[in-house]
Amino acid sequence: AENSFRDVNIAYANELSAKGLDTYFSTASMRGADDKKELKNYCASRVVQFELDVQAEPHPKKYTSFDTARAGLFNFLRNAGLPKPSVVLSGYGIHCYYVFDRDISYNEKTELSKAFVKLAREYGLVLDAGCTHDVVRLLRVPGTNNYKFGDSKPVRLAVMPTVMRVEDFSAL
């Protein structure tokens, strides 16, 4: 049986990670032969993503531990009445994704991202707003390792994605 495109790419990401290289995927489909991470190459996306950064030293835009980040995330979700997103533990933070049932345009993604960041700030969630607003964001591949600061930290899928309707998300 022929391997699927997804399986081949996951195997390649794991191969690169085993060699000590960081691996990423794009949250958007891109046009062009080189698929560069540039706004002009954006075609569509099916996610709104957000990141919670973790670092031991106090920082106004970061949590000091995974436990405080996890507590901040789940308090926000409960208080804002939002469903659980897909969650990836990136080694140095938490990546979250709301996965949609259809492609969203640049304008839709921008509006959804802005509304989400506004809601997050209203409820006190400490997030990297730049990640949420970046429509061509590259994020870490679950099952690989994060070598960001020279250490090898596993990148793990903690909560499986649930597909939701864009209209349901925008109504939140």
Side-chain angles (χ1 to χ4, degrees):
E2 191 174 319
N3 289 330
S4 72
F5 180 76
R6 185 197 74 193
D7 292 340
V8 169
N9 281 292
I10 289 171
Y12 186 57
N14 287 327
E15 182 183 318
L16 292 174
S17 184
K19 293 178 182 177
L21 299 171
D22 287 310
T23 57
Y24 305 90
F25 71 95
S26 176
T27 60
S29 58
M30 311 293 278
R31 73 173 61 89
D34 56 10
D35 287 344
K36 286 187 177 177
K37 182 192 170 279
E38 296 176 0
L39 184 56
K40 68 179 182 177
N41 292 332
Y42 178 89
C43 292
S45 180
R46 286 192 174 220
V47 302
V48 165
Q49 74 281 344
F50 61 101
E51 289 183 28
L52 309 178
D53 292 325
V54 175
Q55 123 182 349
E57 303 81 38
H59 187 281
K61 295 184 179 181
K62 298 181 182 186
Y63 288 94
T64 55
S65 72
F66 274 95
D67 287 339
T68 58
R70 191 175 301 114
L73 172 62
F74 288 112
N75 284 335
F76 163 67
L77 296 174
R78 183 182 60 251
N79 294 335
L82 294 174
K84 284 184 185 174
S86 173
V87 175
V88 173
L89 304 177
S90 71
Y92 295 98
I94 299 174
H95 296 176
C96 301
Y97 310 87
Y98 283 106
V99 181
F100 302 126
D101 62 339
R102 65 172 175 81
D103 290 347
I104 54 176
S105 69
Y106 168 80
N107 289 338
E108 281 181 292
K109 182 156 181 161
T110 300
E111 290 307 311
L112 291 170
S113 298
K114 284 180 183 177
F116 182 83
V117 168
K118 182 179 182 225
L119 185 66
R121 288 183 172 152
E122 285 174 14
Y123 283 93
L125 183 68
V126 179
L127 79 158
D128 180 348
C131 166
T132 308
H133 292 305
D134 186 353
V135 297
V136 291
R137 188 71 175 183
L138 297 177
L139 293 166
R140 299 198 178 268
V141 178
T144 64
N145 289 302
N146 180 339
Y147 300 98
K148 187 175 185 176
F149 297 111
D151 297 329
S152 175
K153 302 267 187 178
V155 178
R156 298 184 325 267
L157 179 64
V159 177
M160 288 293 291
T162 302
V163 177
M164 68 187 303
R165 292 183 29 192
V166 174
E167 293 74 19
D168 293 340
F169 183 80
S170 55
L172 303 170

